[in-house]
């Protein structure tokens, strides 16, 4: 019986484990990936200060700290079911059953897809897959490829591919269909790009100036969006071109691209075939909360947080006694926020285990502030309304727990 | 130009958009009924990949608004398990 | 061989020398590096197709690379359904691609019916297997 079992060895899970070990709780961290670090592994971007954020180093820092505190971390362990039992939880995994008094689910996010014909061909991978292949395994995903779906995450990873010597031919939207609306409609995509306009060179910034001035200006910007795209780091980003299908026999050989109207409709006669040997599909992230759902934790759909999220409060507690959540499962934000949430969750678990000291209370308050600060200082926000989303969730928790 | 090639939604069971669209339109089916009729979401991955797409289709055709509960109930096991694994209650107490 | 390896990286630096590991995929000899998964080692060798869809026979490969989608499932040392993206390669590992399976319980439209006896089932299984091998 462990004091706390943590599912997910990413920034949230590792930070929580460290906090719990500092108070000498008996902790076990499990993760199904072959190495700890979660999706920190692979992240690589330059901060405004010029410093590179290297997720592999950040993961190693957390891991070193965890190891100094003799934290038990097991990789290659997949949890497939959790039961609530009398005084805790029974976690069923491919390596057997683990029992714990407290449970922290820090399973992060999964990628949403933007399906187009041919997306099941070998050589078509999710944008996150490309990031891991490039920066974790140091394998080039191809010689020349195209990224389908333009958003905060895919623009950042396009740059990572380029750094590794992979030619990103361009980024374009998925052809509009019943599923792709959010990602295939130029105006909607333009709205979502607002938070990254500041990363781009002058051309983008010039367009960016229009963004903030309401619908009318935005529509104009989409209407007069340059045919050759707007280049970021030399990569053409197209909001008026859509990939209509991916072609190939046993693997990707080319894509068909077509001009689109400001409303995303295909313009007949503009089809073009581009030879590529890989394609990345980028439809954004959603909180991966299946294990919390299996336990019967209440959920709410909060768009600003990225979809269905387990109900939780600012201290990372859920309405289920002993169940905590932290990181992207609570809403899509960056790794620094996830790490701060992990520390906070860890301290909340320490408190639940009976520690009542002024020192702990102070640490909890500091940790809460840290989460807030990381959120405010985030260079890239996955959703501009994240703060409102957090406020909504806090209100839901209070309502559920007082009735 | 349109609709000549299939757009696969559920990769595991190879269920395409048109089949799901038709099923939802014809039966006015809920997420669960759509899953049972088409097998979309019933494959190896447990719906992890197609779930957001199925939600989007139902929202579009049926006008389903997000509820307080996840539309398609998530059931254990959330990863495929061998019967041998289910059978033995191998316990860890380390 | 392994031309897809990113040896020099402007930010991450030079790739350190790692132990070379030999393995086979569908009987062919390949090599990867220590730390590789089955998926990354095969991709580094230019192998993208890892299986065909059990029913349709359509080619499939790696998709999510972090264990979510199960698209990269292969048979490793005789154990089927193993995710290539989560499995580290080991010396002399024997990896087999996923194959098309017979579908004797699938009906082919109005004139066709489900097998009612074992004999009918066996015949259907055989025909389905023949069709698969022809395709």
């Amino acid at each position: 019986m462990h004091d706390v079992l943590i599912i997910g060895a990413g920034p949230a899970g590792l930070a929580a484990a460290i906090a719990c070990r500092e108070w000498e709780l008996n902790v076990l961290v499990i993760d199904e990936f072959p190495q700890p670090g979660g999706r920190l592994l692979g992240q690589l971007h330059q901060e405004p200060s010029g410093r590179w954020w290297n997720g592999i180093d950040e993961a190693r820092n957390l891991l070193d700290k965890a190891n100094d505190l003799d934290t038990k971390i097991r990789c290659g362990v997949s949890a497939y079911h959790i039961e609530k039992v009398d005084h805790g939880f029974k976690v069923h995994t491919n390596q057997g059953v683990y029992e714990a008094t407290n449970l922290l689910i820090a399973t992060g996010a999964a990628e949403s897809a933007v399906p187009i014909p041919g997306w099941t061909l070998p050589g078509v991978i999710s944008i996150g897959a490309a990031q891991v292949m490039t920066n974790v395994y140091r394998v080039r995903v191809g010689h020349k490829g195209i990224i389908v779906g333009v958003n905060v995450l895919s623009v950042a990873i396009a740059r990572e591919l380029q750094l590794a010597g992979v030619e990103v031919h361009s980024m374009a939207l998925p052809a509009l269909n019943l599923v792709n609306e959010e990602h295939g409609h130029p105006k909607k995509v333009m709205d979502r790009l607002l938070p990254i306009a500041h990363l781009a060179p002058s051309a983008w910034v010039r367009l960016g100036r229009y963004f903030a001035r309401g619908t009318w200006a935005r529509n104009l910007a989409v209407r007069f969006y340059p045919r050759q795209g707007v280049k970021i780091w030399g990569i053409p980003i197209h909001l008026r071109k859509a990939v209509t299908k991916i072609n190939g026999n046993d693997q990707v050989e080319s894509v068909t691209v077509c001009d689109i109207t400001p409303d995303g409709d295909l313009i007949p006669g503009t089809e073009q075939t581009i030879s590529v040997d890989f394609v990345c599909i980028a439809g954004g992230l959603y909180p991966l909360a299946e294990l919390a759902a299996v336990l019967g934790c209440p959920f709410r759909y909060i768009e600003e947080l990225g979809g269905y999220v387990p109900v939780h409060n600012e201290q990372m507690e859920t309405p289920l006694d002993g169940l905590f959540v932290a990181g992207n499962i609570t809403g899509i934000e960056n790794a620094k926020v996830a790490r701060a949430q992990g520390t906070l969750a860890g301290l909340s678990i320490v408190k639940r285990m009976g520690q009542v000291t002024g020192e702990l209370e102070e640490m909890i308050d500091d940790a809460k502030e840290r989460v807030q600060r990381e959120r405010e200082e985030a260079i890239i926000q996955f959703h501009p309304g994240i703060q409102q989303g957090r406020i909504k969730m806090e209100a839901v928790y209070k309502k559920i727990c007082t009735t | 130009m349109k609709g000549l090639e299939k757009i696969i939604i559920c990769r595991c069971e190879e269920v395409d958009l048109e089949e799901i669209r038709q099923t939802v339109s014809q039966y006015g089916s809920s997420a669960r009924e759509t899953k049972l009729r088409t097998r979309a979401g019933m494959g190896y991955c447990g719906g992890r990949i197609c779930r957001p797409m199925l939600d989007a289709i139902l929202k579009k055709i049926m006008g389903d608004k997000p509820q307080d509960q996840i539309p398609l109930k998530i059931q254990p096991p959330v990863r495929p398990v061998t019967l041998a694994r289910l059978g033995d209650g191998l316990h860890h107490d380390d | 061989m392994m031309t897809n390896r990113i040896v020099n990286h402007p930010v991450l630096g030079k790739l350190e020398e790692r132990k070379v590991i030999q393995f086979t995929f569908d009987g062919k000899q390949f090599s990867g590096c220590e730390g590789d998964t089955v998926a990354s080692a095969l991709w580094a060798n230019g192998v993208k197709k890892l299986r065909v869809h059990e029913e349709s026979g359509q080619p499939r490969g790696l998709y999510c690379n972090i264990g979510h989608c199960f698209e990269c499932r292969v048979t490793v040392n005789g154990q089927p359904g193993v995710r290539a993206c989560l499995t580290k390669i080991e010396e002399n590992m024997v990896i087999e691609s996923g194959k098309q399976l017979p579908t004797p319980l699938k009906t082919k439209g109005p004139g066709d019916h489900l097998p009612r006896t074992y004999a009918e089932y066996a015949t259907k299984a055989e025909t389905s297997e023949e069709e698969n091998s022809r395709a």
Side-chain angles (χ1 to χ4, degrees):
Chain A
M1 187 79 150
H2 298 90
D3 292 332
V4 50
L5 191 124
I6 298 172
I7 306 178
L14 288 177
I18 291 166
C20 290
R21 284 300 301 144
E22 278 170 347
W23 289 81
E24 294 177 349
L25 297 191
N26 174 0
V27 180
L28 174 66
V29 187
I30 60 171
D31 196 303
E32 66 179 344
F33 202 69
Q35 46 179 313
R39 293 287 56 78
L40 265 178
L41 304 173
Q43 290 184 7
L44 189 64
H45 59 256
Q46 201 163 19
E47 299 188 321
S49 64
R51 175 183 176 264
W52 283 90
W53 169 267
N54 177 354
I56 294 173
D57 287 345
E58 298 297 334
R60 193 173 300 129
N61 289 342
L62 284 171
L63 197 59
D64 285 348
K65 245 186 240 171
N67 286 337
D68 286 345
L69 294 161
D70 289 325
T71 312
K72 272 181 280 183
I73 302 171
R74 301 238 168 94
C75 288
V77 181
S78 301
Y80 62 83
H81 183 31
I82 307 173
E83 289 172 274
K84 180 88 184 80
V85 290
D86 263 356
H87 297 289
F89 302 90
K90 245 175 142 168
V91 179
H92 299 258
T93 77
N94 63 338
Q95 305 289 321
V97 181
Y98 297 99
E99 285 188 46
T101 313
N102 296 282
L103 178 65
L104 171 64
I105 306 183
T107 43
E111 286 188 68
S112 304
V114 282
I116 51 174
W119 77 297
T120 54
L121 274 173
V124 182
I125 53 177
S126 76
I127 190 76
Q131 180 181 51
V132 171
M133 194 60 97
T134 307
N135 296 337
V136 179
Y137 300 116
R138 300 281 290 260
V139 174
R140 223 171 264 119
V141 285
H143 292 104
K144 183 173 105 179
I146 194 163
I147 296 174
V148 184
V150 180
N151 54 52
V152 172
L153 185 67
S154 67
V155 171
I157 298 176
R159 170 65 166 156
E160 296 174 12
L161 297 183
Q162 188 187 43
L163 279 173
V166 174
E167 186 190 340
V168 179
H169 172 274
S170 58
M171 302 180 69
L173 308 189
L176 211 53
N177 60 39
L178 266 184
V179 177
N180 291 346
E181 185 149 341
E182 290 300 314
H183 303 274
H185 198 293
K187 287 172 190 166
K188 291 187 180 179
V189 174
M190 182 73 108
D191 281 347
R192 286 294 208 106
L193 286 178
L194 181 59
I196 54 166
H198 62 283
L199 293 180
S202 58
W204 190 261
V205 176
R206 273 202 304 280
L207 277 173
R209 281 212 303 266
Y210 292 112
F211 289 153
R213 296 196 202 148
T215 321
W216 176 80
R218 192 241 2 227
N219 288 350
L220 210 65
V222 169
R223 189 146 167 235
F224 295 108
Y225 195 85
R227 268 192 61 102
Q228 70 277 20
V230 170
K231 284 185 181 174
I232 298 188
W233 299 299
I235 302 168
I237 301 189
H238 295 291
L239 298 190
R240 293 286 302 278
K241 282 185 198 290
V243 179
T244 55
K245 57 178 180 166
I246 304 169
N247 316 301
N249 285 315
D250 257 3
Q251 61 184 55
V252 177
E253 290 160 23
S254 69
V255 290
T256 306
V257 177
C258 190
D259 287 0
I260 52 175
T261 68
D263 290 315
D265 296 320
L266 304 182
I267 300 173
T270 60
E271 296 86 351
Q272 206 189 335
T273 305
I274 301 164
S275 314
V276 290
D277 61 357
F278 76 93
V279 174
C280 295
I281 301 284
L285 302 169
Y286 76 94
L288 183 58
E290 51 202 16
L291 288 169
V294 158
L295 262 173
C297 180
F299 274 74
R300 280 296 180 280
Y301 181 88
I302 298 182
E303 203 206 318
E304 295 91 332
L305 301 182
Y308 289 93
V309 176
V311 172
H312 62 279
N313 66 10
E314 202 190 354
Q315 287 87 257
M316 305 283 123
E317 297 167 302
T318 72
L320 298 192
D321 203 20
L323 176 68
F324 298 77
V325 286
N328 270 199
I329 187 178
T330 74
I332 306 303
E333 294 193 75
N334 70 26
K336 289 181 181 177
V337 175
R339 187 172 60 186
Q341 286 180 319
T343 304
L344 176 54
L347 294 170
S348 294
I349 293 167
V350 172
K351 186 176 171 184
R352 184 172 183 267
M353 285 303 283
Q355 283 289 344
V356 209
T357 67
E359 193 198 351
L360 180 63
E361 289 300 333
E362 231 170 79
M363 287 174 80
I364 290 177
D365 285 342
D366 286 350
K368 273 189 210 167
E369 265 171 45
R370 182 73 191 263
V371 172
Q372 196 53 38
R373 200 165 61 241
E374 295 291 10
R375 185 166 293 141
E376 283 159 13
E377 287 173 2
I379 321 155
I380 292 173
Q381 276 175 339
F382 288 87
H383 197 293
I386 187 77
Q387 194 64 46
Q388 290 92 297
R390 293 291 174 192
I391 293 166
K392 280 185 199 170
M393 179 51 87
E394 193 66 22
V396 169
Y397 183 87
K398 289 212 172 94
K399 203 173 151 205
I400 282 190
C401 290
T402 48
T403 50
Chain B
M1 188 162 70
K2 212 166 67 180
L4 288 176
E5 271 102 351
K6 285 183 174 182
I7 301 172
I8 288 176
I9 297 297
C10 170
R11 299 172 66 112
C12 302
E13 295 290 317
E14 286 202 342
V15 188
D16 68 272
L17 179 57
E18 189 47 26
E19 190 182 341
I20 298 169
R21 193 195 62 76
Q22 270 184 13
T23 305
V24 176
S25 302
Q26 185 178 348
Y27 298 99
S29 50
S30 63
R32 179 176 146 77
E33 191 183 342
T34 309
K35 174 179 99 166
L36 293 174
R37 285 188 182 276
T38 65
R39 290 196 60 79
M42 289 180 83
Y44 226 102
C45 85
R48 203 166 300 106
I49 304 300
C50 67
R51 181 180 289 277
M53 297 187 262
L54 294 174
D55 288 352
I57 297 169
L58 284 158
K59 182 176 160 201
K60 200 75 185 155
I61 301 178
M62 301 296 291
D64 282 6
K65 293 246 161 50
Q67 304 284 313
D68 286 347
Q69 281 307 318
I70 298 174
L72 207 53
K73 197 177 170 216
I74 294 174
Q75 317 243 33
V78 299
R79 296 285 187 277
V81 199
T82 60
L83 287 173
R85 164 59 56 202
L86 279 178
D88 90 36
L90 180 63
H91 242 263
H92 282 284
D93 248 337
D94 48 357
Chain C
M1 186 197 76
M2 291 205 281
T3 49
N4 296 327
R5 201 58 74 169
I6 302 159
V7 179
N8 293 301
H9 191 286
V11 183
L12 298 174
K14 196 171 161 37
L15 197 57
E16 57 189 273
E17 286 272 324
R18 288 175 297 174
K19 200 179 140 204
V20 174
I21 292 173
Q22 305 287 330
F23 64 97
T24 65
F25 179 65
D26 283 349
K28 257 181 88 177
Q29 191 79 33
F30 289 100
S31 59
C33 298
E34 194 167 25
D36 264 330
T37 57
V38 169
S40 71
L42 283 169
W43 197 288
N45 282 285
V47 178
K48 290 177 180 168
K49 178 179 165 184
L50 300 180
R51 48 178 272 266
V52 295
H53 189 266
E54 290 83 348
E55 216 173 292
S56 72
Q58 291 299 310
R60 295 299 178 87
L62 179 81
Y63 179 69
C64 82
N65 212 1
I66 56 168
H68 289 169
C69 74
F70 287 78
E71 283 284 45
C72 64
R73 57 187 185 263
V74 289
T75 299
V76 173
N77 295 335
Q79 192 189 344
V82 175
R83 285 171 282 182
C85 72
L86 294 187
T87 308
K88 292 227 158 166
I89 50 159
E90 287 167 15
E91 195 63 45
N92 301 323
M93 208 174 226
V94 177
I95 303 150
E96 299 280 335
S97 63
K99 309 288 188 303
Q100 197 173 9
L101 301 172
T103 49
L105 291 173
K106 201 172 166 82
T107 52
K108 288 174 199 149
D112 202 12
H113 62 77
L114 286 172
R116 280 175 285 226
T117 60
Y118 180 74
E120 275 184 22
Y121 170 85
T123 321
K124 277 187 89 115
E126 207 170 293
T127 346
S128 151
E129 211 152 355
E130 269 168 30
E131 277 166 12
N132 286 353
S133 59
R134 266 205 306 277

